[in-house]
Amino acid sequence: MSRTDVLDPEVARALSALSAAAKKGLGDPALAELVVIRASQLNHCAFCLDMHLAIAREHGVPERQLELLAAWEEAEGVFDERERAALALTEAVTVLTDGFVPDEVYRKAAKHFDDRQLAHLIGLVVAINNWNRVMVSRRVAPGGYAP
């Protein structure tokens, strides 16, 4: 089953449009890929991981970052403060452990992103979480992505 078979085409177009708008508005393709990869790791979405790792490499994300992304909090010196704030917000929005994003996580992100960028960052996390849930629930295997 491919990405195009898992959703009604109109819904797939809407999700794709949300993803594209959020990435464009964030204005940092490499960071956008780190965000979607981290959410996909948390959600165990093999299809999205496979696809976004390839896209990240196309955008020049360093291999060291890709290798250590699952342990970004402990990877001192590998991710800058802006990236760390985005990754913390990604985890908070993805997991919602306490039913909300902790104020401190939001404040740190707001220090590194203006209101518009922050809205796009959150939109990107929401979009990839939607895709992850579709692909995982439909059990879409990795390998169907072609640039």
Side-chain angles (χ1 to χ4, degrees), residues 30-46:
L31 179 60
E33 293 308 318
L34 289 173
V35 164
V36 298
I37 292 166
R38 184 62 190 134
S40 297
Q41 288 173 334
L42 293 167
N43 290 321
H44 305 280
C45 185

Side-chain angles (χ1 to χ4, degrees), residues 4-109:
T4 57
D5 298 329
V6 299
L7 283 175
D8 173 84
E10 189 175 340
V11 175
R13 279 191 298 275
L15 284 178
S16 293
L18 173 59
S19 299
K23 281 183 177 184
K24 183 179 178 184
L26 183 59
D28 185 339
L31 179 60
E33 293 308 318
L34 289 173
V35 164
V36 298
I37 292 166
R38 184 62 190 134
S40 297
Q41 288 173 334
L42 293 167
N43 290 321
H44 305 280
C45 185
F47 179 90
C48 293
L49 282 167
D50 184 53
M51 178 173 77
H52 288 287
L53 284 164
I55 295 169
R57 288 180 178 103
E58 291 170 10
H59 287 297
V61 176
E63 282 298 316
R64 185 158 172 82
Q65 285 189 325
L66 297 176
E67 293 163 356
L68 294 173
L69 186 55
W72 68 269
E73 290 178 289
E74 291 79 28
E76 290 293 322
V78 177
F79 301 94
D80 65 29
E81 288 304 311
R82 185 173 188 258
E83 293 164 336
R84 295 172 74 76
L87 293 170
L89 185 62
T90 298
E91 290 189 6
V93 171
T94 298
V95 179
L96 288 176
T97 303
D98 295 320
F100 58 89
V101 173
D103 291 341
E104 184 58 25
V105 170
Y106 188 87
R107 273 195 295 276
K108 281 184 182 177

